[in-house]
């Protein structure tokens, strides 16, 4: 099934989608993690059934830096399997932005029907997305966002700013419940320039600034376990005895930070010297929440392949697709100290969200 079948309708579809779903506040589709998990295997299998010809999809993935990334890759590969009627061209871009742009241009040369991109950084995309548009190839963006172009048909992912805001709201309420009045914080950020790093950093910093917390340092750990360990080793030397909160912007960084703190004789987790906050909530991360080593973990749901397949199925049928689809994701904690948190989200709405104390069932059910 070549893209020429859908290219003629794409411009109209994108225009309609922009009107209906032009912002994260209105018109965006919200899905739950459970719904996605149920549909991963079957989504999109009908898209190529009528033609008998496989739909070709190019997927430019960030890399393989974390448990989250591995789960994301597997999700897309399962959704676009040969059994489901697809021919998937997959490129692991190894966190190299130039390589990712090159991969997209190769997909154009290969005349694929659709392109899926998880952008390493949020800017520098307009030229190559214009080339995709000129070639008549619809682009679907997952996970991280693109800020300097709207020349893609749909984006599927998480509201990273809300993750950062929720972590700040939790820390404020948790410190009050525990009688902790002085917070001195070290942050291990994700890959600099990625939308996940920007959103989580900015959201948390809003709370830090408003509450007068001290952020002693904030450095890039590149979303890797090695990166988290190296940054934390430096922190333990430079800020010995001066910090009581560590915020890691994904679980793998948290694993590395734990190793570094353990080696330095710093206690962390429930009722210890350092409160440890993480993001992603992968299976291993939630196991550490359950054991009390990580105090709180804010989920970022990676299984977005089925959503991409559903988007392609809709495009094949001539239907309008949402410009944005946000995941609904839970927040996990180690203790039954707080039932919920209330904060003003990135859309300006005051929300109250439940906190889930991790059990065996919760950790084993995660990705």
């Amino acid at each position: 099934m070549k893209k020429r079948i859908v290219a003629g309708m794409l411009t109209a579809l994108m225009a309609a989608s922009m009107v209906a779903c032009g912002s994260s506040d209105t018109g965006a589709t919200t899905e739950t993690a459970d719904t996605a998990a149920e549909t991963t295997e079957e989504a999109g299998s009908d898209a190529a059934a009528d033609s008998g010809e496989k739909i070709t999809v190019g997927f430019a993935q960030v890399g393989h830096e974390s448990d989250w990334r591995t789960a994301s890759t597997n999700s897309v590969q399962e959704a676009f399997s040969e059994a489901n009627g697809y021919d998937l061209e997959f490129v692991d871009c190894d966190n190299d932005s130039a390589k990712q742009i090159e991969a997209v241009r190769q997909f154009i040369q290969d005349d694929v029907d659709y392109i899926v991109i998880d952008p390493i950084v949020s800017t520098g995309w307009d030229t190559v997305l214009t080339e995709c548009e000129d070639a008549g190839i619809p682009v679907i963006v997952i996970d991280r966002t693109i800020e300097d172009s709207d020349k893609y048909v749909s984006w599927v992912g998480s509201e990273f700013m809300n993750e950062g805001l929720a972590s700040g709201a939790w820390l404020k309420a948790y410190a009050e419940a525990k009688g902790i009045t002085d917070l001195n914080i070290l942050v291990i950020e994700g890959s600099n320039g990625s939308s996940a790093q920007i959103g989580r950093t900015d959201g948390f910093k809003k709370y830090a600034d408003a509450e007068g917390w001290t952020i002693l340092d904030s450095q890039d750990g590149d979303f890797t376990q090695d990166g988290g360990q190296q940054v934390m080793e430096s922190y333990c030397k430079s800020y010995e005895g001066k910090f009581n909160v560590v915020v890691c912007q994904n679980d793998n960084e948290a694993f590395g930070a734990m190793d570094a703190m353990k080696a330095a004789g710093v206690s962390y987790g429930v009722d210890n010297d350092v409160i440890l906050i993480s993001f992603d909530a992968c299976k291993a991360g939630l196991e550490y929440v359950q054991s009390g080593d990580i105090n709180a973990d804010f989920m970022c749901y990676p299984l977005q392949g089925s959503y991409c397949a559903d988007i392609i199925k809709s495009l094949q049928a001539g239907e309008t697709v949402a410009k944005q689809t946000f995941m609904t994701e839970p927040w996990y904690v180690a203790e039954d100290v707080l039932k919920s948190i209330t904060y003003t989200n990135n859309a300006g709405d005051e929300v109250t969200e439940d906190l889930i104390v991790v059990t065996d069932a919760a950790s084993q059910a995660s990705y």
Side-chain angles (χ1 to χ4, degrees), residues 11 72 83 110 120-121 129 192 194 263 288 303 313 323 328 360:
T11 302
S72 171
D110 292 344
I120 294 169
V121 294
L129 290 189
N192 188 43
S194 68
Y288 280 121
L303 307 186
K313 182 179 177 181
K323 187 68 173 180
T328 298
D360 285 338

Side-chain angles (χ1 to χ4, degrees), residues 59-206:
F59 176 34
Q61 175 61 288
V62 169
H64 50 274
E65 76 284 356
S66 63
D67 292 8
W68 192 101
R69 189 66 54 198
T70 299
S72 171
T73 296
N74 290 342
S75 173
V76 174
Q77 290 176 329
E78 289 170 7
F80 295 122
S81 67
E82 186 174 349
N84 282 343
Y86 293 95
D87 181 7
L88 179 66
E89 294 185 24
F90 170 70
V91 178
D92 179 333
C93 298
D94 200 22
N95 214 32
D96 184 333
S97 297
K99 183 176 179 179
Q100 191 166 48
I101 297 293
E102 180 184 345
V104 174
R105 288 199 164 111
Q106 186 60 54
F107 294 152
I108 297 171
Q109 289 295 315
D110 292 344
D111 199 29
V112 300
D113 296 313
Y114 297 91
I115 294 173
V116 177
I117 303 169
D118 191 333
I120 294 169
V121 294
S122 59
T123 57
W125 285 101
D126 189 62
T127 299
V128 73
L129 290 189
T130 299
E131 293 169 15
C132 294
E133 184 178 70
D134 291 344
I137 303 176
V139 174
I140 300 166
V141 180
I142 64 170
D143 176 31
R144 302 178 184 181
T145 58
I146 288 174
E147 303 300 332
D148 62 347
S149 178
D150 63 356
K151 294 171 184 175
Y152 53 89
V153 66
S154 190
W155 169 86
V156 180
S158 303
E159 176 51 280
F160 300 118
M161 176 70 81
N162 285 351
E163 294 173 358
L165 290 167
S167 68
W170 175 82
L171 181 57
K172 178 178 184 294
Y174 182 78
E176 290 172 352
K178 290 284 189 174
I180 302 170
T181 57
D182 191 20
L183 296 178
N184 296 286
I185 303 163
L186 293 169
V187 180
I188 303 178
E189 297 183 16
S191 300
N192 188 43
S194 68
S195 57
Q197 175 265 329
I198 293 167
R200 291 170 189 168
T201 299
D202 291 350
F204 182 81
K205 191 173 183 300
K206 280 191 176 183

